[in-house]
């Protein structure tokens, strides 16, 4: 089950819109079982089931169906695909394929699924209980802290690039160059003034969490990169937080470059593959982040 837990950690959170609820969720399904995390931003629920649990629950909920646990797991993966495939544009679960509903109490959350398998009715219930504090830390607190540090270092590098651009423009001006289009003229970048203005004008809108949809749709690539870094750090037996203590450890790598992908539409969420391949989550297989490095362009044509 360690492989299943690692697969769940590397899955991004996706935004789910059910008939009566909007939720954040992530899931991993393999031949050995499944793991599921669900949150409404008030609480986090979790279920992890092996093949024995899957087989027993299938007998209780589907007395007319007889199949090995791998068949039920494969079918569950196919049922979750429409929910996780394009979470940015979904309005509800696909009624022609499956019907999803959710019941919540203080002690549990049950995600119910109704579908068909081999021409017979198929029912399933994910029995989720409140997640432990260690799970919440592993899947939310530590990744969010790592993402915040990466974004902070990314901002610092952008500010340094702006200062270099100002020096470059100053060099042109001292050489006698004149801006040919006055509307393109900018003032030298002052980081403190910019931050003060951002706090007043942009921060209220930028930090609006809402139902979690902006986080799930715009920051998936960065979240996956940070969790991957945490797994690699754990494999190397590094101490807690060592891989994210300075700008030189993570943001200069994939984390920093992945920030360029944060405005991509969520339709880029990876799709699921067949269960015979490597372990994967219901939100799709891990895709290697694009690490294309932006080329600096000289301001040709701006000065005459």
């Amino acid at each position: 089950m360690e492989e299943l837990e690692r697969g769940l950690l590397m899955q991004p959170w996706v935004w789910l819109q059910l008939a009566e609820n909007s939720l954040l969720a992530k899931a991993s399904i393999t031949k050995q079982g499944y793991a599921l995390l669900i949150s409404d931003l008030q609480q986090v629920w979790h279920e992890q089931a092996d093949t024995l649990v899957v087989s027993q629950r299938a007998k209780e909920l589907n007395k007319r169906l007889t199949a090995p646990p791998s068949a039920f797991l494969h079918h569950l993966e196919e049922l979750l695909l429409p929910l996780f495939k394009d979470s940015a544009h979904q309005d509800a679960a696909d009624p022609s394929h499956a019907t999803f509903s959710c019941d919540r109490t203080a002690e549990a959350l049950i995600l119910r699924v109704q579908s068909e398998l081999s021409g017979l009715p198929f029912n399933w219930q994910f029995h989720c209980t409140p997640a432990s504090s260690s799970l919440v830390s592993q899947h939310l607190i530590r990744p969010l802290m790592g993402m915040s540090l990466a974004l902070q270092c990314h901002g610092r590098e952008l500010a340094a690039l702006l200062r270099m651009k100002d020096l470059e423009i100053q060099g042109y001006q001292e050489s006698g160059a004149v801006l040919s289009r006055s509307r393109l003229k900018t003032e030298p970048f002052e980081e403190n003034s910019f931050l003060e203005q951002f706090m007043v004008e942009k921060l209220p809108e930028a930090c609006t969490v809402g139902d979690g949809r902006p986080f799930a749709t715009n920051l998936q690539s960065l979240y996956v990169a940070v969790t991957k870094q945490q797994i690699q750090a754990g494999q190397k037996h590094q101490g807690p937080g060592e891989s994210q203590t300075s700008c030189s450890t993570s943001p200069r790598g994939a984390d920093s470059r992945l920030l360029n992908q944060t405005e991509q539409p969520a339709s880029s969420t990876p799709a699921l593959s067949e269960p015979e391949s490597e372990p994967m989550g219901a939100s799709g297989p891990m895709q290697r982040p694009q690490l294309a490095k932006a080329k600096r362009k000289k301001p040709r044509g701006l000065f005459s």
Side-chain angles (χ1 to χ4, degrees):
M1 301 301 285
E2 180 181 350
E3 188 176 15
L4 185 62
E5 294 172 359
R6 185 167 59 251
L8 179 64
L9 181 60
M10 295 186 65
Q11 296 303 319
W13 288 92
V14 298
W15 183 81
L16 302 181
Q17 179 62 62
L18 304 182
E20 68 279 11
N21 296 292
S22 61
L23 302 167
L24 293 179
K26 60 188 313 193
S28 177
I29 300 179
T30 70
K31 293 180 180 179
Q32 288 71 42
Y34 66 77
L36 177 69
L37 275 175
I38 297 177
S39 176
D40 61 354
L41 303 185
Q42 300 294 325
Q43 192 169 351
V44 181
W45 293 271
H46 171 253
E47 184 187 27
Q48 182 167 305
D50 58 18
T51 53
L52 293 177
V53 174
V54 171
S55 180
Q56 180 62 32
R57 192 172 302 171
K59 292 179 182 178
E60 295 173 356
L61 299 175
N62 304 279
K63 300 183 182 302
R64 299 173 60 188
L65 288 172
T66 302
S70 59
F72 292 117
L73 288 167
H74 177 51
H75 187 59
L76 287 173
E77 186 180 37
E78 290 183 332
L79 294 179
L80 291 175
L81 175 62
L83 289 178
F84 287 80
K85 184 178 180 181
D86 193 6
S87 62
H89 299 94
Q90 63 172 313
D91 295 321
D94 184 4
S96 63
H97 195 199
T99 300
F100 291 80
S101 61
C102 182
D103 297 328
R104 277 179 290 183
T105 66
E107 301 297 330
L109 179 145
I110 299 178
L111 181 63
R112 305 178 189 276
V113 186
Q114 293 181 328
S115 180
E116 289 188 359
L117 179 60
S118 300
L120 295 174
F122 174 80
N123 298 289
W124 193 260
Q125 296 177 3
F126 295 94
H127 294 177
C128 302
T129 57
S132 65
S133 57
S134 61
L135 269 178
V136 175
S137 175
Q138 186 181 31
H139 290 270
L140 279 173
I141 298 177
R142 291 183 62 83
L144 289 175
M145 291 177 67
M147 292 167 68
S148 298
L149 292 172
L151 289 169
Q152 181 187 41
C153 291
H154 180 263
R156 289 175 179 174
E157 291 192 3
L158 288 177
L161 287 175
L162 286 174
R163 287 192 290 268
M164 292 175 62
K165 286 292 184 183
D166 286 340
L167 292 175
E168 184 178 354
I169 293 174
Q170 182 180 351
Y172 290 137
Q173 293 173 339
E174 291 175 352
S175 300
V178 179
L179 190 64
S180 61
R181 287 172 284 180
S182 59
R183 63 183 177 84
L184 298 179
K185 181 176 176 61
T186 58
E187 296 297 327
F189 178 70
E190 294 289 343
E191 185 174 1
N192 291 335
S193 299
F194 170 78
L195 290 176
E196 290 176 1
Q197 184 177 3
F198 177 83
M199 292 293 184
V200 174
E201 298 180 1
K202 301 295 184 180
L203 184 63
E205 179 181 356
C207 67
T208 300
V209 175
D211 55 7
R213 188 172 187 174
F215 164 73
T217 56
N218 296 332
L219 295 172
Q220 286 186 342
S221 296
L222 181 59
Y223 177 90
V224 171
V226 169
T227 54
K228 183 178 180 180
Q229 178 75 14
Q230 292 179 353
I231 291 175
Q232 293 173 346
Q235 292 173 344
K236 295 177 181 178
H237 305 288
Q238 293 180 351
E242 286 184 11
S243 63
Q244 298 170 354
T245 54
S246 67
C247 297
S248 61
T249 54
S250 61
R252 292 188 184 275
D255 292 355
S256 178
R257 298 185 188 99
L258 281 165
L259 298 173
N260 296 326
Q261 303 177 7
T262 57
E263 296 302 326
Q264 293 180 354
S267 57
S268 63
T269 305
L272 288 167
S273 301
E274 293 298 328
E276 289 79 10
S277 61
E278 294 182 356
M280 60 195 70
S283 57
M286 259 292 300
Q287 293 184 350
R288 189 171 183 84
Q290 298 297 320
L291 300 179
K293 196 170 184 179
K295 295 183 178 179
R296 294 181 57 189
K297 296 182 180 179
K298 290 197 172 186
R300 297 179 180 176
L302 299 182
F303 300 92
S304 58

